[in-house]
Amino acid sequence: MGTAFLFPGQGSQAPRMGLDLLSTVPHVQARFQQASAIAGLDLVELVRTADAAALTRTEITQITVFALSTAIAEFLMARGLEPQAVAGHSLGEFSALACAGVLEWEEAARLVWQRGLAMKAASASGAQAMAAIGGLSAEAVAALCAEAAPAGLVVVANLNSPLQLVISGEEAAVEEVMRRVRERPLTRVDRLNVGGAFHSPLMQPARDALRQAIESAVLRPPAVPVVSSIDGELVTDLEVYRKKLIDQVTAPVRWRDAVHRLRHMGVDHFLEVGPGRVLTGLVRQTDRTARTATAGSLAECELLLGQRREAGD
């Protein structure tokens, strides 16, 4: 099949991300201005001046990562680099939907802004945390979450690759699972720098807040195949998918399933479109034979476009 565009989620943000594109590409500037109007914030100034702590605020992270990722995708597509499929991790699912035309860009941006605000509000209800775990199976991590239940709610939130899972829940319970993981040989655990217990039942208030907006959103047939990280399946029946999208903030991310699906479809080149290299690493952990590249800066975009010209595409 060829190339898939992959869109990152929270955790990929960084100070001054995409600033070279913002400073030189009019389309990227225009998308940020549109997103700024939706959010009521100067997102360009935030990218220029905000530190890592400010960018970690859930509502800021989501709209800025979305704006940058989708603007880069449109920049590449306008110059002839077209994806044969798209997928996005958590927040990135909305970027993928915008790229594939399932959601119009402005409607997707409004949903992302509402999503960020709703998830921020749900995170304010108590101490919450997430942590990445390596070296244990999903079944083993789920068992540790059950053992930690006396300390609070904690669940498997992301099945990112065969080598990485993420847990999410109340801080004390997450810390208890982390302690138990450290007791086991050949494992790794790292607390994530995020603002809430995403993809866990603690996000139920956010799900409820977003339900009406997603129910009323206009979903269109995808212009290119979309593989959902909600279940690793192709988006086909839009009304069935709408129900999944409502559940997305409380449901686990099945990224490794999405990568397997894309490979089964014939995708052999995975292009991470947006800030960071998180998804690139997860693809390599899932399938070492897959080719990967990143498009998060002007230099990376120009390199990709130059390679395409040299190939005669």
Side-chain angles (χ1 to χ4, degrees):
M1 172 172 273
T3 299
F5 282 11
L6 308 182
F7 295 95
Q10 289 186 240
S12 297
Q13 72 280 356
R16 300 174 67 82
M17 60 183 179
L19 192 56
D20 54 352
L21 286 156
L22 266 168
S23 302
T24 56
V25 180
H27 180 74
V28 177
Q29 297 169 3
R31 283 305 196 202
F32 264 79
Q33 289 167 358
Q34 289 175 285
S36 295
I38 289 168
L41 299 168
D42 188 341
L43 298 180
V44 175
E45 186 64 17
L46 275 168
V47 168
R48 285 176 176 155
T49 63
D51 60 14
L55 286 175
T56 302
R57 289 169 48 193
T58 300
E59 76 281 17
I60 300 300
T61 301
Q62 296 202 25
I63 193 69
T64 52
V65 170
F66 169 84
L68 180 59
S69 299
T70 53
I72 292 174
E74 291 168 337
F75 171 66
L76 294 173
M77 292 165 67
R79 282 152 184 79
L81 183 53
E82 297 277 350
Q84 281 69 57
V86 297
H89 189 288
S90 188
L91 156 69
E93 184 120 351
F94 289 85
S95 303
L97 294 176
C99 180
V102 177
L103 286 169
E104 288 192 352
W105 189 92
E106 288 191 1
E107 183 159 40
R110 285 193 296 270
L111 284 172
V112 166
W113 176 242
Q114 291 173 308
R115 184 180 188 268
L117 291 174
M119 292 170 74
K120 176 187 177 183
S123 302
S125 61
Q128 301 177 7
M130 299 181 74
I133 296 173
L136 292 175
S137 69
E139 294 75 16
V141 174
L144 290 178
C145 290
E147 292 170 12
L153 185 146
V154 59
V155 297
V156 176
N158 296 1
L159 295 94
N160 280 336
S161 78
L163 302 180
Q164 188 194 89
L165 300 163
V166 173
I167 58 171
S168 179
E170 295 176 275
E171 185 173 29
V174 170
E175 291 287 349
E176 176 61 18
V177 174
M178 292 175 68
R179 183 187 69 78
R180 291 170 181 261
V181 171
R182 292 189 183 106
E183 293 176 347
R184 301 198 174 198
L186 303 177
T187 60
R188 176 174 178 173
V189 60
D190 299 289
R191 183 157 169 168
L192 300 184
N193 187 22
V194 295
F198 307 136
H199 300 287
S200 83
L202 295 177
M203 288 293 109
Q204 184 66 35
R207 176 188 178 278
D208 295 341
L210 287 168
R211 173 188 285 276
Q212 184 174 353
I214 293 174
E215 284 180 343
S216 61
V218 178
L219 303 183
R220 298 169 176 81
V224 297
V226 179
V227 173
S228 172
S229 66
I230 301 169
D231 55 9
E233 298 294 334
L234 273 169
V235 174
T236 52
D237 187 318
L238 292 177
E239 292 311 310
V240 170
Y241 176 70
R242 188 191 302 274
K243 296 175 182 176
K244 296 176 184 177
L245 196 59
I246 291 169
D247 292 335
Q248 192 218 32
V249 295
T250 56
V253 176
R254 299 185 178 275
W255 184 249
R256 67 186 187 189
D257 294 343
V259 173
H260 285 312
R261 170 66 65 175
L262 288 164
R263 286 295 273 161
H264 181 73
M265 291 164 56
V267 168
D268 61 3
H269 187 208
F270 293 84
L271 178 59
E272 185 166 3
V273 181
R277 298 170 180 267
V278 173
L279 300 185
T280 298
L282 297 179
V283 169
R284 289 174 176 169
Q285 289 175 9
T286 303
D287 189 333
R288 294 185 181 277
T289 67
R291 294 186 300 136
T292 59
T294 55
S297 68
L298 181 61
E300 289 176 338
C301 290
E302 293 293 356
L303 177 62
L304 287 164
L305 294 170
Q307 291 172 340
R308 181 179 179 278
R309 287 192 294 270
E310 289 176 7
D313 291 343

